[in-house]
Amino acid sequence: MAANGASVFAPWDDPDQTPLIRFENVTKRFGDFTAIDNLSLDIYAREFFALLGPSGCGKTTMMRMLAGFETPTEGKIYIGGQDMGPIAPNQRPVNMMFQSYALFPHLSVYENIAFGLRRDGQPKDKIEARVEDMLRMVRLQKFAKRKPHQISGGQRQRVALARSLAKEPKLLLLDEPLGALDAKLREDTQFELMDIQEKTGTTFVIVTHDQEEAMTVASRIAVMDEGRIMQVATPDRIYEFPENAYVADFIGDVNLIEGTATPSGEDEVTITWAENQQPIRAKTQRKLATGQKVFYAIRPEKVGISKEEPTDVVNKAKGRILDIAYLGNLSTYHVQMPTGEIIKAQSANTRRIARRPFTWEEEVWVSWNGTGGSVLED
Amino acid sequence: MRRFSWFNVTSLTLGFAFLYVPMLILVIYSFNDSKLVTVWAGFSTKWYGELFQNQAFLDAAWVTLRVAVMSSTIATVLGTMAAYTMVRAGRFYGRTLFSGMIYAPLVMPEVITGLSLLLLFIGIGLDRGVVTVVLAHTTFAMCYVSVVVSSRLVSFDKSLEEAALDLGCTPFQAFRLVTLPIIAPAVISGWLLAFTLSLDDLVIASFTAGPSATTLPIKIFSSVRLGVSPEINALSTIMIGIVASGVILFSLISKRNIARAEADARAAERT
Ligand SMILES: Nc1ncnc2c1ncn2[C@@H]1O[C@H](COP(=O)(O)OP(=O)(O)O)[C@@H](O)[C@H]1O
Ligand SMILES: [Mg+2]
């Protein structure tokens, strides 16, 4: 599976690979508002690349610059080694699937998909064959003659996808393509997208504000905030090794514990974080100064919970259960320390409700080992 | 349906009577057998027959039709372009002034428009004739067209044009293949409006027409000064018919247009 960061597909680790897309110190300002701030980024051919970030962080602006609807205020964008500066949108080897789908309301599904092919002046029978292929791919053969307002939202989304793939672009841009779909359809479509991406070998850049979606589909994710990239990495690295507190907090659920670092040997640090608590011992590659303020990030599922004091783990703390969030297969326990800090611990619900071991207000121990979390600088 | 009070009924009746009874009388008397306009002498269509024998009227009708078709077509092209530019250009320095200047001729007294155009044509030495009337009608009809078209363009989803560019269209192709077909109903109703405006314009035409290009309204007006003839009634009836069809068509198209836009909006919400 190329799309899911399996060991074979990792052009970003290969120094001999040239990227398909290169953002070089790109800044985009609207008036005196900076939407994209001195951003550099490489995206490789055949990647399924996700831009992830909260609303307003500049994701759409990045897409629009790639498609040619906005020009960078500073910096350069290269696609396939070519400077895109002087290239008009209709001359770029790029197609875009719009957030609003932007289907032509006066044309049928068939004509919508054929639209781009006709502009290239291809022979009629070739266009016909291609459109039929596309209709089959998105399973809309029966709807070819309908107008966009005569089909459902999910079908419209598939027409938009077929239309943007019809010209076999080198690069497909998808701006929140699944935003308007309900949860079930969304999930199905995510897998469909991955499937299509693999089959066609097209490079996909997808915009989303849904971290689960990014994790599911992407080979790599760029987490953005206020026009800057906070981290670019594979989904597992983003999740396991966030580089900063922003990414740790944005992706999934996390305990962010603030404390003071004291280096304590090779790749190891102890962090004092609360009165009367044993300092956290953690592994880290970072070179930290004694007394430096740091964050310790640990996922709730890496934190165990028990009634008795555990003996075989390096980090533990005692507290009281403040809250229990029941998530079906899992429960998240919010455990409050005597000094007020809350640590979330997750455990699988293997027993029926009546036989759960922990209840509210109970005194418990939370514990985790030295490699479970990451040490982040402020 | 709600019921109207007697007050409402009376005011409606009086209002409509005030508007339409004169026209109704005109239409009825156009079928009068007598030469005297005020005496009813039985039904006849002979004045219509005579009207179609009257070369002067036929010539005037031909001029009017040519002027109306030409001026409304040019006005539609220019008005659509103006609307497109104003809506698409976004904010720029002097935008309010600019759009105000497009709309000003709508409220300008026709006498002033006519007079100033006359002065212009004399100033640049253009002989008055069909060309000058066409120019004059284009000038004021263009404003109406641009109002009608821009109200449609405001609600036009810009990403449709971007999608067209993205799929390989030049900006002009995007306009021709995507924008224009979608706004076509507004453009057509703009044309109809311009056409009817040109058809019944007297004031501006009399300033700019000159002796070689007598339009129907001018012809009617000058014949009436010599006395009302049943022929004029017949002619006026035909004109009422044409203008009314134009107006009805215009409002039908706008109505369908609005319904369509609402359907699109609902569809967009459903996604
Ligand atoms: N044409 C524009 N003019 C002014 N500001 C804009 C324009 N386009 C985007 N912005 C601003 O740039 C920021 C980033 O927008 P966008 O890229 O659409 O965010 P996202 O897609 O991540 O939600 C937003 O604050 C938005 O208001
Ligand atoms: Mg967006």
Side-chain angles (χ1 to χ4, degrees):
Chain A
M1 260 214 348
N4 241 349
S7 56
V8 277
F9 183 75
W12 46 87
D13 287 335
D14 182 352
D16 295 336
Q17 290 275 346
T18 49
L20 177 66
I21 305 169
R22 163 162 273 171
F23 282 85
E24 206 175 80
N25 302 100
V26 172
T27 295
K28 175 70 189 177
R29 292 193 199 91
F30 295 107
D32 48 13
F33 174 78
T34 307
I36 299 294
D37 190 2
N38 192 21
L39 181 152
S40 296
L41 174 67
D42 287 347
I43 299 173
Y44 295 85
R46 306 180 74 90
E47 267 203 84
F48 199 141
F49 193 91
L51 290 172
L52 176 64
S55 190
C57 71
K59 305 180 297 288
T60 299
T61 307
M62 297 271 288
M63 296 294 228
R64 292 176 59 80
M65 287 195 292
L66 278 174
F69 302 130
E70 305 280 1
T71 35
T73 316
E74 285 161 29
K76 286 212 161 93
I77 297 174
Y78 298 90
I79 297 178
Q82 193 184 10
D83 180 6
M84 285 292 121
I87 313 275
N90 54 334
Q91 305 291 338
R92 297 190 181 199
V94 175
N95 281 129
M96 178 150 166
M97 185 179 153
F98 288 75
Q99 198 164 357
S100 59
Y101 305 156
L103 297 180
F104 305 128
H106 59 300
L107 299 179
S108 67
V109 167
Y110 185 99
E111 288 299 323
N112 262 283
I113 297 173
F115 189 90
L117 300 167
R118 295 208 202 284
R119 300 291 81 68
D120 289 354
Q122 293 184 15
K124 239 181 155 183
D125 47 337
K126 241 178 112 182
I127 294 177
E128 236 164 71
R130 180 75 183 151
V131 176
E132 292 299 335
D133 277 354
M134 288 289 124
L135 283 169
R136 200 168 317 120
M137 183 186 77
V138 295
R139 302 194 310 274
L140 285 172
Q141 295 107 306
K142 279 193 212 143
F143 299 93
K145 291 208 174 65
R146 300 258 189 109
K147 291 278 176 68
H149 65 96
Q150 293 167 321
I151 56 180
S152 76
Q155 290 166 338
R156 247 176 285 185
Q157 179 261 336
R158 300 218 296 278
V159 178
L161 181 65
R163 187 180 70 177
S164 53
L165 276 171
K167 293 183 77 172
E168 299 179 69
K170 266 196 215 165
L171 171 62
L172 181 69
L173 307 172
L174 304 114
D175 193 354
E176 311 220 5
L178 315 181
L181 305 185
D182 55 57
K184 177 75 180 73
L185 195 54
R186 215 180 150 96
E187 204 172 293
D188 293 346
T189 316
Q190 284 168 6
F191 286 105
E192 226 169 288
L193 275 182
M194 290 162 67
D195 202 42
I196 290 171
Q197 195 263 344
E198 242 174 89
K199 260 191 225 146
T200 58
T202 312
T203 309
F204 278 27
V205 178
I206 189 173
V207 157
T208 175
H209 62 253
D210 177 349
Q211 43 128 336
E212 254 178 65
E213 184 165 294
M215 298 295 243
T216 309
V217 299
S219 60
R220 282 194 306 158
I221 297 175
V223 180
M224 290 183 64
D225 184 38
E226 291 182 355
R228 284 190 310 266
I229 288 188
M230 305 308 287
Q231 184 173 4
V232 186
T234 53
D236 50 339
R237 288 197 68 85
I238 289 257
Y239 190 79
E240 303 271 345
F241 307 104
E243 268 169 18
N244 45 58
Y246 182 85
V247 173
D249 199 28
F250 192 79
I251 306 282
D253 205 3
V254 75
N255 292 299
L256 269 183
I257 302 167
E258 200 180 329
T260 326
T262 317
S264 57
E266 184 87 355
D267 290 345
E268 219 189 68
V269 67
T270 56
I271 302 165
T272 15
W273 59 286
E275 253 178 82
N276 303 326
Q277 293 284 10
Q278 170 194 326
I280 295 166
R281 282 166 56 197
K283 294 268 178 217
T284 183
Q285 306 286 338
R286 289 177 200 275
K287 296 282 158 273
L288 299 164
T290 305
Q292 189 180 343
K293 195 180 136 201
V294 290
F295 285 98
Y296 183 69
I298 182 143
R299 305 279 175 201
E301 71 267 19
K302 298 265 164 71
V303 179
I305 182 167
S306 58
K307 268 194 187 125
E308 281 84 45
E309 178 170 357
T311 51
D312 53 345
V313 280
V314 292
N315 296 305
K316 54 196 166 191
K318 195 176 175 188
R320 206 163 41 82
I321 295 181
L322 187 71
D323 223 339
I324 304 173
Y326 176 68
L327 305 170
N329 53 344
L330 296 171
S331 285
T332 304
Y333 300 90
H334 294 221
V335 180
Q336 192 172 36
M337 305 297 115
T339 40
E341 292 87 354
I342 291 171
I343 292 180
K344 287 176 271 186
Q346 217 165 47
S347 78
N349 293 327
T350 47
R351 299 179 183 190
R352 303 292 296 269
I353 293 174
R355 303 183 53 204
R356 287 288 148 66
F358 314 108
T359 61
W360 285 269
E361 298 298 327
E362 202 171 345
E363 296 259 309
V364 290
W365 286 87
V366 286
S367 58
W368 63 94
N369 65 31
T371 53
S374 345
V375 181
L376 308 171
E377 287 169 80
D378 197 14
Chain B
M1 263 324 242
R2 38 179 299 230
R3 293 182 62 89
F4 294 105
S5 73
W6 66 267
F7 178 78
N8 284 344
V9 173
T10 322
S11 41
L12 261 180
T13 316
L14 283 177
F16 276 112
F18 193 68
L19 283 173
Y20 291 105
V21 166
M23 278 191 232
L24 195 66
I25 291 173
L26 185 145
V27 173
I28 292 170
Y29 275 101
S30 74
F31 295 103
N32 190 356
D33 196 36
S34 160
K35 174 111 187 124
L36 296 166
V37 238
T38 46
V39 181
W40 181 256
F43 181 83
S44 148
T45 52
K46 72 173 180 199
W47 301 115
Y48 288 87
E50 282 199 16
L51 180 64
F52 287 106
Q53 305 290 312
N54 187 331
Q55 196 54 44
F57 277 134
L58 289 182
D59 288 347
W62 179 232
V63 169
T64 309
L65 200 66
R66 263 159 56 213
V67 167
V69 169
M70 282 193 277
S71 68
S72 58
T73 306
I74 302 172
T76 303
V77 173
L78 294 178
T80 304
M81 279 163 63
Y84 189 77
T85 313
M86 290 307 295
V87 173
R88 278 290 175 273
R91 285 155 192 270
F92 58 88
Y93 191 74
R95 183 180 205 282
T96 319
L97 179 71
F98 217 77
S99 61
M101 277 165 63
I102 289 187
Y103 299 147
L106 296 182
V107 289
M108 194 72 78
E110 288 187 325
V111 181
I112 293 177
T113 311
L115 185 60
S116 53
L117 281 166
L118 174 64
L119 292 177
L120 173 76
F121 294 143
I122 293 172
I124 61 174
L126 199 58
D127 279 342
R128 286 188 292 156
V130 171
V131 175
T132 48
V133 193
V134 169
L135 284 177
H137 281 182
T138 304
T139 311
F140 81 93
M142 187 188 118
C143 308
Y144 288 87
V145 174
S146 104
V147 170
V148 172
V149 173
S150 58
S151 70
R152 174 65 185 93
L153 275 175
V154 169
S155 63
F156 183 86
D157 181 4
K158 199 172 173 234
S159 63
L160 291 176
E161 265 169 33
E162 288 178 343
L165 292 177
D166 188 65
L167 292 165
C169 284
T170 61
F172 179 69
Q173 281 177 324
F175 178 78
R176 189 168 58 87
L177 297 169
V178 174
T179 316
L180 196 55
I182 296 173
I183 65 166
V187 175
I188 292 170
S189 52
W191 186 90
L192 276 169
L193 189 62
F195 183 81
T196 41
L197 285 171
S198 165
L199 214 57
D200 69 3
D201 166 69
L202 170 66
V203 180
I204 293 177
S206 27
F207 275 104
T208 54
S212 63
T214 309
T215 65
L216 262 186
I218 297 178
K219 182 75 195 156
I220 294 171
F221 189 67
S222 55
S223 344
V224 166
R225 276 191 300 192
L226 308 173
V228 182
S229 77
E231 246 178 313
I232 298 282
N233 286 350
L235 180 60
S236 307
T237 304
I238 292 173
M239 283 189 73
I240 289 173
I242 293 174
V243 172
S245 330
V247 171
I248 290 169
L249 212 57
F250 167 79
S251 60
L252 280 182
I253 291 173
S254 331
K255 204 171 155 187
R256 222 191 60 177
N257 215 356
I258 290 167
R260 182 61 190 269
E262 277 171 358
D264 281 355
R266 271 199 305 277
E269 269 166 33
R270 263 193 289 124
T271 45

